Amino acid sequence: MKRVQDALKSTGIPAFAGAWKATAENPTAPAQYLVYTTQTYETEHWDDALRRYEVYVYLNLWCAGDPTDAIRRVRAAMRGAGFAMREEGDSYNDDTNQTLVAWTWVCWEEAEA
């Protein structure tokens, strides 16, 4: 979804739709990166016509270091782009020395006429 990619661009953190995938130029994952998926629902109907969609963004930050600054940048970027945070959680993996921060964001879009 272009709206998500545009919002995350301002964080300076590489962002990938679906999953990070190794390439010839980048065979290993960045020390810090974002992965997201979206899901869209019809949420508002008037007079038997669709009026609005609700779009959920499932966003994950993978970070090999302290994620504090990245968390602040992601929150500011997503809010600035009109998204509302539904939830945020984190976990740390001792085996990989990575922190995962997982969000659910939501926005609303008007239906096409």
Side-chain angles (χ1 to χ4, degrees), residues 38-94:
T38 63
Q39 189 140 10
T40 303
Y41 299 92
E42 292 184 0
T43 60
E44 197 170 320
H45 295 81
W46 302 346
D47 299 326
D48 297 323
L50 173 64
R51 299 293 180 190
R52 188 155 65 155
Y53 295 100
E54 191 169 53
V55 180
Y56 285 86
V57 179
Y58 304 102
L59 177 62
N60 294 321
L61 167 68
W62 295 94
C63 187
D66 180 2
T68 305
D69 182 55
I71 290 168
R72 289 186 188 122
R73 285 186 283 152
V74 169
R75 287 177 185 161
M78 292 297 282
R79 284 190 186 114
F83 292 89
M85 186 184 354
R86 289 282 192 222
E87 63 184 346
E88 175 183 282
D90 64 74
S91 62
Y92 181 77
N93 185 318
D94 287 323

Side-chain angles (χ1 to χ4, degrees), residues 13 30-35 60-64 93 96 98-101:
I13 302 167
Q32 191 175 74
Y33 63 98
L34 296 159
V35 174
N60 294 321
L61 167 68
W62 295 94
C63 187
N93 185 318
T96 63
Q98 282 191 314
T99 300
L100 166 63
V101 182

